[in-house]
Each structure stands twice: as structure tokens, then as C-alpha cells.
């Protein structure tokens, strides 16, 4: 016997930790430029340096690892670029939290010392998620790990900013921005999250100049009335036509402002008259631009009322609101306040309500860059999977707005703009200029940093050495595929495409996989704050990495997938099944067996035909990004066909007295196991590598020492044998049917039945006739013979089992008590009749059918159909086994 070094029970943690250490120690995932092989590249969506592995990461990283390992097996030069994002706001908040514990603010230690503290934090905690990727089994090139704030990356970011500035795409201007008071920074439109909140809709009178009339407007923010510069109405609203062109008085401040007509005004909102405050509302800002209105800000960057608010200066906006309403009531200008639900913008990072404020910021005009990025999706150079996300991308790109790229933070890529202290001239340069080019004066650098997404947009090419023309950039760009979440199509995917086209002249990736979103079991989003989060590291600790990967891939069939712990447990059971089957093969294999295929039995021809088909189908699924179907295919093939059938059939030869039979089946099993481990490897890398390493053909040096050096099998066309597949389908169907019949009839295990097989189609019984020993062992029945002519079928009482092209007849003579079987079948028929009648009664009730939900009606119809099928089957069995027709009422015949 072959000496087996595999433990009796599979221990995923020991195997996974040992193999990952081994892979890393020998740089198994490191890729170098190799012109002789096609390149396959994935750039990992860089997780935040502050982050830890969550369920979305686990699914996405599993998908990417499947692809990288699969294409490595295909002989491609596979590179998986890995690294982390500096995560400006999130990281700054972490370090500010540390300072707060020391009773300090960042201003107390200054910018330079604060940046030093951030780098210290990064050195201590920044590799957490990288270590977690290794726990999941990710085959990233860790020797190329990048960070979006490393020195080379900063060089790339500065070059991009300067280039876009010189081309006029980046500019500085006062604009209404989304301001987070908590973070003290502007954020982009895409970083604003909206949530429905209950509020009040206040109705206020605005006196019309020169008349006794007033226009009543509705607003959720009466404190901003102090900054109003117009009242707008819809030109199609007949109620207000006479007021357009006139002037009204802004309550409390007495400022006269115009009444304007603008089609943006919603006639149905409030009274149809809209107060315009360009300094505090993005829609009002746009209206103000169209009509040349002045901008007045009454709330400062600290969230407090400013000097424009008069005696309310220094007061929080919420508190000022109460005073404004009180004063409006005193002046007879307050009408009413209604309950009102509306969407409120909040900061994506900290949840603070966003304050639209006027601010001097850096912006990026997208008009020039967006056109090539639209074209590459329209003409198919970039393909979204599923393809509907391409339409979503294009819709947003065609209506793209300027991007606010500056952030009021201390951590991040500092904007390379320098201002002259004497003449205010602006210089943009990669490094600090010695003096002002205009007047020779001293310069100071802009205090702001760039939006994190600005630097992330360079990820596919900056990680390969750009702006230097490195060999890696030439070999591995464009990358092959990007797998990411749908919520960053605009934030990241679109911007990478724009930057790639602008600075490298090609798309950053060919395909974009938008992976499913993993929801909690109740359908809510996964969230620590909601208590719905599930830690994938806990799953790895409990079930193992392979099981976790399998379960995630298996359940990823729809865009929103509810998490199922049962699927992860299914993965663990699958791993155990693979382990036990592999031990059986290696322990039972003849010590002198050669790993070669000998197709000497129907089962041999069947399993290798199926292996060839599965290998091809699996490649198509991997190529088509159908990871759920790939996991299902592997599960069915390995569990059902290899383990439950072929191994069971093979045991009769594996433990045979014939050495020739043992040698032949051992060779087949070794080849089968080798090929199965190769195709399984992308999905479950650890157990496949461990089993593969125990194969004698690997240990003897006849095969590559690791699956990372193996090649995806190209199965011989000669292995395909449809006749063998058909014959084994008949074999497995009949054996399963006989097992069920024996159980139904209550036959003891030591009772051997006698089976006659009628072959209705030529060759259909070949697997049964050619494997009679295995047939008897698997179903407890002896094959009495095969007949091909109807008249030769045996007479008497029997239980029949139909399979493809065959009918197996289990002789019941001497096996079954006829009267007991009669009573059992009558009881079965009676129960089916009663259930069918009950279902028919409900379906015949028109009132019930009209009111019941569709799914309930469908379930009752299914119940009726099922009972009718059982009754029909029972009639057949009664005739075969009792020799009479089943009484129509299910009772005894008179």
C-alpha cells in the first residue's frame, strides 16, 4: 500500500497556515516580466489602510483569487497587484482619536508632527488587512505591495495634478460645496449619502413691494432666510405670473430681492413659490448662476451662524432656527409648520448632516476627459459584467459635473500649489519653488490635500511604475479585469478609465465585474452599527478559508445575495468529503501503480468522459465569471459522480484479488485525483494543494511540485464517450431506484434480491451487465440476466425501476409479504387521494382563489399535482406487486 501522510481528519487551519507560509517563503506569487507568456493582471481595489476584512472584501477577493489562480494554471504570467489606500478622512480620524485620548487636538502639535503620528500609526496598524488577505488564501504579489502615499506614488499624483492644471482641467474657484462640519472638509457629491428624516416644512410670508400682498413660501430651513437673494416661481404657474419681475421683501432683514421665473421650480412643492438661497442650497446655487444672483452665506465653516446673521452670530444653526421662527411669528409673517419627510445628505464617513456652503476649492472640469471614457464603453473596449452596469455608467458619465478635488485635511496628497505672500501669484509645481516667478517673493503651499479618490484613480498604472516607463508598465498594463462593488462605479471605476486614457493612452482594464452585494440573512445591509455584520475572519476560524471561499462563491448567484451560514458549512463538509475520498484513493492505491489512464470498464469510460466535459465546462464558467455555477459544478461532480459513484464502483477492483485490476484502477484513480485537484485549485487552493502534494506522481517528480506550477488540463478528445455516459446513467438510476425500493419494501440488508433487466435501447444496460459485482455490492441485488425482447421479460410480481433505455425488475417472489404490501399501498393511495381532494376543494372555491396570494395558489396546485403523481405511481406499483388494479376508492376490492 502507498504510505499516506495525510491525517485521518482534515485540519484546515494547520494546512492553510503551513501552505501560506511555504508559498510566501518561496515567493510563489511573485511575477516578473516574461515576454514569452501572455500577461494576466488584476489590480486589487486597495482597501483602506484603516480597514479590516469585511464580507464584501471576502467575496471580491475570492473572485479575484479564483481568476488569478485559474489564469496561472492556463500558463499566463499572472500578477495580482496588492496594496492599501491612505484613506484621508478615515485615517486622520483614527489619529485624531488617539490625540483626543491624550487630551490633545492636531492643532496643538502642528501639521508636521501630526503627519509623523499618522505614519507611525500606519507602520503599527496599516498591514492588518494585508495579513487578513493571506488568511483568505489570496495569491497577491505581496513583494510588490504599494501604498497610495508611498514616495513613488506621490510623484505620480503630483505629475497628474500638474498636467491637468496646465491643460486647464483643474482650477480654483468659489463654489457651493458639500461641507462636513465634523470632518472640517468639503466632500464630493458622490460621497454624500442620503437618508430620509422627519422634519418641519415652515410656511412664511414675503411681502410684495408696493402692494399689500405677500407671497407665501415653504422651507425646511428658516434660518437661511437671512441669506435669501430671490423668490422663484415656475413660468408655467398661472398663480404667480403677475409677480414675476417685481420685488419682495426678505423677512427679518428687510432686503428687497427680485421675483424670478425658473422652470426648475416644482409647482407641487409647498406653495409653488421657492425662496432662493444660493449660498446654502445646490439647486438654488444653479438657479442663482442662471439669473446672476448674489451669494450670501449666513452659516460658517464651523456650522455656526456668521456675521451676515446679525445678532445670531456664533449660534448653532438649529438654535438659530427656533429664534427665527419665533421672530417671524412676532412679526405676523409665520403661517404654519407641517410635518415633512425628506432626504437629508450626510457625510459618508462620519454621518454628520452635510451643510452646503460657499468655499474656495480646487475643482476638476470633466468635460474633456469624459468623452474618451464614454467611447471605450460604447465601443466595447471596456465591458461591464453584468452588462446593465455599463448603461448605469454611461448615464452618469453623460451628465457628469465638476469634481471638487480638494479636502481640508492634513493627511493625504498635499495640493502642489504655492501662493506668493507678496503678489498672490499661484505656482503649481512638483516641489517647492525657491521664489515667486513673478515678483521673487516668498511662497507658501496650499494647506489642502487631494480627495482620496483622485490618487486612487491612478492605481492601475501608478502601481506599475508610472510616470516612469517601466518594463512592468509595458508588460502588465492594461490590466485584464477589475472586480469591484457597484457603489464605487462613479467614485472610482469611471475615474480610473478617464485617467488611464489620459495618461497612458489605453483603458486600465478590459472587463469590469460588478460583484454581488452580500446582505444580512434578513435582507438588510451588513453593518456593525446595525448588528447585522458578519466577520469573515470568524468564518475562517470556524470553518477554514477554503470552506468560506466555497460558500461565498456558491451563494453569489444574484446581485443582492443574503448571507447563508449553511453554504459555508456546506463548504466545510465538501472539504471533508474531498479529504476522506483522497485518503481512500492514496491509501488503497497499488504501491506500484503508474498514474496512467486505462479505460477498461464502463465506469472508467464514464468518469473520464465526464472529467473531460467538466474540465471544459468549468473553463467556460471561469472565463465567463460564473463563479456560482462553477462552484456548483465542482460540488456536483466531485461529491456525486467521483465520490458517491466512481469510487464506490472502483472499490470492487481496488480491493480485488487480481493485481492487474488493482494496478489499472489505481492508475485511473491517481490521474482522476490529480486532474480534480487542478480544476478545484482556483476555488479551494489549500486542500487541493495539500492533496496534490501527496500524490505519488508528484512526490516522485513526475509532475510539478506545486499546483502553482501545474497547468490546466487539456483532456484528450478520446476520453469523451457519450455511450458510456448514457450507460452509467442507466446504472446509477437503477441502483438508486433499487435502493429506494428495498427501503420501501422493508428488505433487510442481508437479503439479496434478484433483478432482471430489460434493455429497451441497444447498449443501455452495458454498464449494468459489465459491472455485475459492483452492481450487487451497491444495491444488494444480483443480476439475473439482461433481456432485449419484450416477450422474454419475466412474469410474476415484481418492483420495476425505469432508467434511460432500461427497465429493472426486482423479483418479489419470496421477498415480500403480499398482504402487508397490499395494505401499505392502499394506505399510500388513500392518503394521496385525500390530499388531492383537499387541494381540489380549495382550488374549486372561487372566493378563496380570488383572495389568496399567488404563491399560496401555486403551492396548492403543486400539492395537487404531487398527490396525483403519487396516486398514479401507486396504481402502477399495485398492479406490478399485487397483480390487481388498485381500487378506485383506495379501499379493498369487493
Amino acid at each position: 500500500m502507498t504510505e499516506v501522510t495525510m491525517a485521518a481528519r482534515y485540519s484546515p487551519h494547520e494546512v492553510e497556515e503551513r501552505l501560506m507560509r511555504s508559498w510566501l517563503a518561496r515567493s510563489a506569487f511573485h511575477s516578473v516580466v516574461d515576454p514569452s507568456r501572455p500577461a494576466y493582471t488584476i489590480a486589487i481595489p486597495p482597501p483602506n489602510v484603516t480597514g479590516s476584512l469585511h464580507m464584501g472584501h471576502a467575496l471580491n477577493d475570492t473572485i479575484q483569487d479564483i481568476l488569478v489562480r485559474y489564469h496561472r494554471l492556463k500558463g499566463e504570467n499572472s500578477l495580482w497587484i496588492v496594496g492599501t489606500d491612505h484613506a484621508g478622512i478615515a485615517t486622520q480620524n483614527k489619529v485624531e482619536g488617539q490625540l483626543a485620548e491624550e487630551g490633545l487636538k492636531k492643532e496643538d502639535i502642528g501639521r508636521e508632527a501630526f503627519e509623523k503620528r499618522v505614519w507611525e500609526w500606519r507602520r503599527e496598524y496599516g498591514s492588518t488587512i494585508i495579513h487578513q488577505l493571506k488568511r483568505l488564501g489570496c495569491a497577491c504579489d505581496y513583494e510588490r505591495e504599494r501604498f497610495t502615499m508611498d514616495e513613488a506614488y506621490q510623484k505620480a499624483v503630483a505629475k497628474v495634478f500638474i498636467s491637468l492644471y496646465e491643460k486647464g482641467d483643474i482650477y480654483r474657484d468659489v463654489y457651493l460645496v458639500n461641507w462636513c462640519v465634523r470632518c472640517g472638509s468639503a466632500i464630493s457629491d458622490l460621497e454624500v449619502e442620503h437618508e430620509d428624516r422627519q422634519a418641519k416644512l415652515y410656511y412664511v410670508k414675503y411681502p410684495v413691494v408696493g402692494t399689500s400682498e405677500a407671497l407665501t413660501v415653504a422651507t425646511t430651513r428658516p434660518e437661511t432666510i437671512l441669506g435669501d437673494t430671490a423668490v422663484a416661481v415656475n413660468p408655467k404657474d398661472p398663480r404667480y405670473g403677475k409677480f414675476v419681475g417685481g420685488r419682495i421683501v426678505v423677512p427679518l432683514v428687510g432686503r428687497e430681492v427680485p421675483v424670478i421665473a425658473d422652470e426648475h421650480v416644482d409647482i407641487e412643492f409647498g406653495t409653488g413659490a421657492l425662496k432662493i438661497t444660493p449660498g446654502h442650497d445646490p439647486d438654488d446655487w444653479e438657479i442663482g448662476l442662471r439669473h446672476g444672483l448674489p451669494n450670501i452665506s449666513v452659516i460658517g465653516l464651523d456650522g455656526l451662524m456668521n456675521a451676515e446673521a446679525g445678532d445670531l452670530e456664533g449660534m448653532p444653526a438649529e438654535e438659530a432656527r427656533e429664534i427665527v421662527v419665533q421672530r417671524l411669528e412676532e412679526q405676523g409673517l409665520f403661517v404654519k409648520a407641517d410635518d415633512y419627510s425628506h432626504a437629508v445628505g450626510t457625510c459618508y464617513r462620519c454621518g454628520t448632516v452635510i451643510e452646503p456652503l460657499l468655499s474656495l476649492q480646487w475643482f476638476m472640469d470633466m468635460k474633456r476627459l469624459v468623452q474618451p471614457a464614454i467611447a471605450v464603453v460604447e465601443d466595447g473596449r471596456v465591458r461591464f459584467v453584468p452588462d446593465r452596469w455599463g448603461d448605469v455608467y454611461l448615464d452618469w458619465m453623460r451628465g457628469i459635473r465638476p469634481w471638487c478635488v480638494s479636502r481640508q485635511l492634513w493627511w493625504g496628497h498635499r495640493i502642489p500649489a504655492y501662493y506668493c505672500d507678496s503678489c498672490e501669484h499661484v505656482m503649481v509645481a512638483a516641489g517647492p519653488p525657491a521664489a515667486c516667478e513673478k515678483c521673487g517673493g516668498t511662497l507658501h503651499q496650499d494647506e489642502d490635500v487631494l480627495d482620496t479618490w483622485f490618487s486612487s484613480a491612478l492605481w492601475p498604472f501608478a502601481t506599475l511604475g508610472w510616470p516612469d516607463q517601466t518594463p512592468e508598465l509595458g508588460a502588465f498594463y492594461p490590466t485584464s479585469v477589475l472586480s469591484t462593488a457597484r457603489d464605487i462605479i462613479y467614485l472610482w471605476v469611471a475615474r480610473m478609465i478617464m485617467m488611464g486614457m489620459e495618461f497612458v493612452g489605453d483603458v486600465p482594464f478590459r472587463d469590469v465585474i460588478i460583484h454581488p452585494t452580500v446582505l444580512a440573512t434578513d435582507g438588510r445591509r451588513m453593518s456593525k452599527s446595525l448588528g447585522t455584520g458578519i466577520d469573515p475572519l470568524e468564518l475562517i476560524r470556524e470553518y477554514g478559508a477554503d470552506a468560506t471561499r466555497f460558500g461565498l462563491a456558491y451563494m453569489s448567484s444574484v446581485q443582492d445575495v443574503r448571507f447563508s451560514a449553511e453554504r459555508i458549512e456546506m463548504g466545510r463538509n465538501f472539504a471533508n468529503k474531498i479529504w476522506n475520498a483522497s485518503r481512500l484513493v492514496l491509501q488503497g492505491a497499488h504501491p506500484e501503480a503508474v498514474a496512467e489512464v486505462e479505460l477498461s470498464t464502463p465506469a472508467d469510460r464514464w468518469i473520464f468522459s465526464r472529467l473531460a466535459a467538466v474540465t471544459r465546462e468549468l473553463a467556460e464558467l471561469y472565463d465567463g465569471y460564473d463563479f456560482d455555477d462553477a462552484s456548483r459544478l465542482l460540488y456536483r461532480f466531485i461529491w456525486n459522480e467521483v465520490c458517491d459513484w466512481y469510487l464506490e464502483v472502483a472499490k470492487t477492483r481496488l480491493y480485488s484479488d487480481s493485481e492487474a485490476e488493482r494496478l489499472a484502477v489505481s492508475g485511473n484513480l491517481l490521474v482522476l485525483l490529480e486532474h480534480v485537484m487542478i480544476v478545484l485549485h482556483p476555488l479551494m487552493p489549500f486542500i487541493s494543494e495539500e492533496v496534490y502534494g501527496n500524490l505519488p506522481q508528484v512526490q516522485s517528480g513526475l509532475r510539478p511540485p506545486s499546483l502553482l506550477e501545474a497547468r490546466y488540463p487539456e483532456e484528450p478528445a478520446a476520453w469523451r464517450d457519450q455511450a458510456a455516459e448514457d450507460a452509467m446513467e442507466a446504472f446509477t438510476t437503477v441502483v438508486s431506484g433499487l435502493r429506494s425500493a428495498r427501503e420501501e419494501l422493508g428488505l433487510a440488508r442481508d437479503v439479496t434480491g434478484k433483478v432482471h433487466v430489460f434493455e429497451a435501447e441497444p447498449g443501455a444496460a452495458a454498464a449494468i451487465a459489465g459491472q455485475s459485482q459492483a452492481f450487487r455490492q451497491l444495491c444488494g441485488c444480483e443480476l439475473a440476466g439482461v433481456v432485449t425482447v419484450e416477450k422474454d421479460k419475466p412474469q410474476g410480481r415484481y418492483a420495476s425501476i425505469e432508467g434511460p433505455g432500461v427497465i429493472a425488475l426486482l423479483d418479489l417472489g419470496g421477498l415480500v409479504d403480499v398482504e402487508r404490501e397490499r395494505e401499505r399501498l392502499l394506505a399510500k393511495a388513500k392518503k394521496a387521494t385525500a390530499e388531492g381532494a383537499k387541494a381540489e376543494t380549495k382550488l374549486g372555491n372561487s372566493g378563496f382563489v380570488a383572495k389568496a396570494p399567488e404563491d399560496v395558489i401555486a403551492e396548492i396546485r403543486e400539492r395537487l399535482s404531487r398527490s396525483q403523481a403519487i396516486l398514479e405511481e401507486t396504481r402502477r406499483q399495485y398492479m406490478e406487486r399485487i397483480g390487481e388494479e388498485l381500487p378506485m376508492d383506495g379501499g379493498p376490492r369487493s
Side-chain angles (χ1 to χ4, degrees):
M1 292 291 181
T2 301
E3 183 181 353
V4 179
T5 59
M6 297 166 65
R9 295 186 63 184
Y10 181 52
S11 176
H13 304 103
E14 185 277 325
V15 170
E16 290 165 5
E17 291 173 11
R18 170 169 47 79
L19 287 178
M20 182 53 76
R21 283 197 305 271
S22 171
W23 286 333
L24 294 173
R26 58 188 178 88
S27 299
F29 307 142
H30 183 56
S31 300
V32 296
V33 175
D34 181 358
S36 68
R37 293 189 293 151
Y40 186 85
T41 318
I42 295 179
I44 196 171
N48 286 351
V49 69
T50 58
S52 60
L53 200 70
H54 59 59
M55 199 59 72
H57 288 136
L59 173 60
N60 193 26
D61 294 333
T62 295
I63 287 171
Q64 293 171 82
D65 195 56
I66 288 172
L67 291 172
V68 166
R69 290 179 183 271
Y70 166 66
H71 283 275
R72 186 186 295 272
L73 286 170
K74 298 285 279 186
E76 297 170 32
N77 191 13
S78 298
L79 168 63
W80 189 2
I81 302 165
V82 70
T84 51
D85 190 279
H86 66 278
I89 292 177
T91 309
Q92 180 158 316
N93 286 346
K94 288 280 187 183
V95 179
E96 285 190 270
Q98 286 185 339
L99 290 174
E101 292 175 2
E102 302 169 22
L104 297 171
K105 294 182 179 180
K106 67 180 188 297
E107 290 80 8
D108 296 330
I109 64 173
R111 184 166 192 152
E112 185 175 345
F114 180 79
E115 289 179 344
K116 184 178 179 182
R117 285 286 296 261
V118 177
W119 280 106
E120 290 172 357
W121 183 94
R122 191 252 174 181
R123 278 189 288 273
E124 186 171 355
Y125 301 106
S127 296
T128 298
I129 198 163
I130 298 298
H131 294 310
Q132 293 168 347
L133 290 174
K134 296 172 185 176
R135 290 284 308 279
L136 187 62
C138 295
C140 305
D141 191 339
Y142 297 102
E143 295 172 42
R144 293 182 185 274
E145 181 183 339
R146 296 299 302 272
F147 181 48
T148 57
M149 278 288 287
D150 65 38
E151 185 177 351
Y153 208 100
Q154 290 191 51
K155 174 184 173 183
V157 171
K159 184 173 180 65
V160 166
F161 184 94
I162 294 166
S163 174
L164 294 173
Y165 175 79
E166 291 174 346
K167 293 174 182 177
D169 298 306
I170 286 181
Y171 59 94
R172 196 173 187 228
D173 199 0
V174 174
Y175 205 85
L176 194 74
V177 298
N178 305 297
W179 186 265
C180 176
V181 175
R182 159 65 184 80
C183 296
S185 177
I187 62 175
S188 74
D189 293 342
L190 297 175
E191 294 167 312
V192 177
E193 296 182 345
H194 292 87
E195 56 185 62
D196 289 333
R197 294 192 181 183
Q198 291 298 316
K200 293 288 185 182
L201 189 60
Y202 301 88
Y203 289 78
V204 181
K205 292 179 182 178
Y206 283 60
V208 178
V209 174
T211 75
S212 58
E213 296 182 273
L215 290 181
T216 300
V217 304
T219 179
T220 58
R221 303 199 63 191
E223 70 276 14
T224 64
I225 287 174
L226 309 179
D228 288 355
T229 57
V231 167
V233 298
N234 194 299
K236 297 177 182 177
D237 192 336
R239 295 172 294 174
Y240 300 117
K242 67 177 183 178
F243 297 107
V244 175
R247 300 181 73 77
I248 54 95
V249 178
V250 177
L252 304 186
V253 295
R255 182 168 57 248
E256 291 187 11
V257 299
V259 178
I260 60 176
D262 195 285
E263 292 184 350
H264 175 79
V265 178
D266 183 358
I267 296 174
E268 302 299 323
F269 175 75
T271 65
L274 184 69
K275 77 182 203 66
I276 305 300
T277 320
H280 293 290
D281 184 275
D283 292 330
D284 293 3
W285 168 260
E286 296 293 340
I287 291 174
L289 289 177
R290 287 195 291 273
H291 294 271
L293 300 176
N295 304 312
I296 301 174
S297 292
V298 296
I299 301 172
L301 299 179
D302 55 4
L304 304 178
M305 306 302 286
N306 62 20
E308 290 286 351
D311 63 351
L312 302 181
E313 183 180 3
M315 191 178 293
E318 290 284 344
E319 188 177 329
R321 180 178 303 172
E322 297 178 9
I323 295 176
V324 167
V325 171
Q326 179 184 338
R327 291 178 180 177
L328 289 169
E329 289 176 332
E330 292 170 354
Q331 294 184 21
L333 299 175
F334 179 77
V335 179
K336 63 176 180 175
D338 292 340
D339 290 334
Y340 182 63
S341 176
H342 67 138
V344 175
T346 61
C347 175
Y348 80 107
R349 179 57 59 186
C350 68
T352 302
V353 174
I354 289 300
E355 188 68 65
L357 294 177
L358 290 171
S359 179
L360 180 61
Q361 300 284 345
W362 286 92
F363 293 90
M364 184 169 164
D365 188 356
M366 315 300 286
K367 293 189 188 73
R368 185 179 67 83
L369 297 175
V370 78
Q371 295 308 317
I374 288 174
V376 297
V377 173
E378 288 180 331
D379 64 23
R381 278 178 283 171
V382 172
R383 179 175 68 110
F384 280 81
V385 181
D387 58 8
R388 68 178 180 276
W389 293 111
D391 295 331
V392 172
Y393 166 93
L394 290 172
D395 286 344
W396 182 75
M397 293 289 273
R398 288 167 182 147
I400 199 166
R401 294 160 57 92
W403 172 18
C404 178
V405 297
S406 49
R407 298 291 181 270
Q408 289 63 55
L409 304 172
W410 282 5
W411 172 244
H413 292 272
R414 196 164 174 181
I415 292 175
Y418 301 85
Y419 307 101
C420 179
D421 297 325
S422 301
C423 70
E424 300 184 354
H425 177 62
V426 180
M427 295 179 64
V428 172
C436 175
E437 62 186 358
K438 192 172 182 180
C439 73
T442 57
L443 299 161
H444 67 276
Q445 188 174 357
D446 196 305
E447 294 290 326
D448 293 349
V449 300
L450 286 165
D451 179 6
T452 297
W453 295 106
F454 186 96
S455 50
S456 298
L458 284 54
W459 185 251
F461 54 89
T463 50
L464 294 171
W466 189 93
D468 296 335
Q469 295 303 308
T470 63
E472 289 77 11
L473 184 64
F476 295 112
Y477 188 94
T479 67
S480 306
V481 65
L482 171 74
S483 180
T484 191
R486 65 191 184 210
D487 55 357
I488 55 174
I489 292 175
Y490 314 138
L491 283 167
W492 191 46
V493 179
R495 291 163 177 171
M496 281 193 288
I497 295 174
M498 285 187 275
M499 293 297 196
M501 294 301 294
E502 175 70 9
F503 291 99
V504 194
D506 202 351
V507 297
F509 27 72
R510 304 299 186 194
D511 289 344
V512 180
I513 302 170
I514 303 300
H515 66 70
T517 299
V518 184
L519 304 175
T521 54
D522 60 4
R524 291 185 294 168
R525 67 183 179 88
M526 283 201 175
S527 165
K528 288 184 180 178
S529 62
L530 294 175
T532 56
I534 297 173
D535 185 353
L537 294 170
E538 287 296 326
L539 296 177
I540 293 171
R541 279 189 281 271
E542 183 174 356
Y543 300 102
D546 278 342
T548 301
R549 292 163 61 108
F550 172 86
L552 288 171
Y554 195 99
M555 70 178 80
S556 65
S557 58
V558 293
Q559 200 58 46
D560 287 322
V561 55
R562 295 192 181 197
F563 175 77
S564 169
E566 289 77 13
R567 295 305 185 203
I568 310 296
E569 188 172 355
M570 181 181 181
R572 178 181 62 187
N573 295 340
F574 187 35
N576 289 335
K577 183 83 168 180
I578 293 167
W579 186 261
N580 294 334
S582 300
R583 287 189 75 252
L584 184 151
V585 170
L586 295 172
Q587 190 173 42
H590 194 291
E592 297 177 15
V594 177
E596 294 178 350
V597 176
E598 184 177 323
L599 303 178
S600 55
T601 70
D604 293 336
R605 292 189 288 275
W606 164 71
I607 198 64
F608 282 98
S609 180
R610 291 292 303 133
L611 177 63
V614 166
T615 300
R616 186 194 69 253
E617 185 179 349
L618 194 59
E620 292 172 354
L621 292 172
Y622 284 149
D623 288 333
Y625 310 128
D626 284 335
F627 306 106
D628 57 314
D629 285 339
S631 60
R632 285 170 168 77
L633 177 62
L634 281 165
Y635 184 87
R636 289 195 303 268
F637 177 66
I638 296 173
W639 191 298
N640 299 336
E641 299 182 66
V642 173
C643 297
D644 286 355
W645 287 110
Y646 185 71
L647 281 184
E648 293 303 314
V649 172
K651 283 179 183 177
T652 59
R653 289 189 292 153
L654 196 61
Y655 303 118
S656 168
D657 293 333
S658 167
E659 184 162 343
E661 281 195 348
R662 288 181 56 211
L663 283 168
V665 75
S666 295
N668 286 346
L669 285 168
L670 292 175
V671 173
L672 176 64
L673 193 57
E674 175 188 344
H675 285 220
V676 166
M677 291 307 109
I678 293 173
V679 297
L680 176 68
H681 181 69
L683 179 62
M684 302 177 76
F686 291 112
I687 192 169
S688 57
E689 176 82 341
E690 184 71 358
V691 170
Y692 178 85
N694 277 280
L695 291 170
Q697 62 264 42
V698 174
Q699 294 180 345
S700 64
L702 295 174
R703 302 287 193 274
S706 166
L707 285 171
L708 294 173
E709 299 165 40
R711 289 294 173 262
Y712 196 84
E714 294 183 6
E715 310 296 11
W719 283 5
R720 294 307 312 273
D721 189 334
Q722 189 59 51
E725 292 190 32
D726 293 342
M728 273 302 292
E729 185 181 357
F731 179 96
T732 58
T733 302
V734 167
V735 168
S736 297
L738 287 169
R739 287 170 173 171
S740 298
R742 289 178 61 96
E743 182 178 357
E744 186 180 51
L745 294 166
L747 299 183
R749 296 188 62 171
D750 60 350
V751 173
T752 301
K754 183 187 295 184
V755 174
H756 297 268
V757 174
F758 171 59
E759 186 180 63
E761 297 176 10
I768 298 173
Q771 300 173 134
S772 56
Q773 185 179 353
F775 181 81
R776 175 172 179 165
Q777 184 173 327
L778 292 175
C779 68
C781 298
E782 188 163 355
L783 181 65
V786 176
V787 298
T788 59
V789 181
E790 183 77 26
K791 66 181 180 65
D792 293 338
K793 288 169 63 175
Q795 302 301 310
R797 295 193 308 276
Y798 54 84
S800 70
I801 294 92
E802 289 192 33
V806 298
I807 300 174
L809 305 172
L810 172 61
D811 189 348
L812 299 182
L815 288 180
V816 175
D817 183 317
V818 176
E819 289 307 312
R820 178 183 294 176
E821 179 64 4
R822 181 197 302 273
E823 292 303 316
R824 189 187 71 81
L825 290 174
L826 287 173
K828 182 179 177 182
K830 188 173 183 179
K831 181 179 179 182
T833 301
E835 289 182 353
K838 184 178 179 181
E840 283 182 326
T841 300
K842 285 189 175 183
L843 294 173
N845 185 333
S846 58
F848 172 80
V849 172
K851 295 178 181 178
E854 288 185 15
D855 59 334
V856 172
I857 299 297
E859 196 278 330
I860 295 173
R861 286 185 177 132
E862 173 61 26
R863 201 183 308 158
L864 174 60
S865 177
R866 190 165 55 245
S867 64
Q868 290 171 338
I870 291 172
L871 189 59
E872 188 61 33
E873 173 68 6
T874 307
R875 284 197 183 99
R876 183 185 64 78
Q877 292 176 342
Y878 198 88
M879 175 59 75
E880 289 177 351
R881 300 175 188 184
I882 310 302
E884 304 171 1
E885 289 188 7
L886 179 74
M888 295 304 293
D889 60 357
R893 290 173 62 88
S894 57

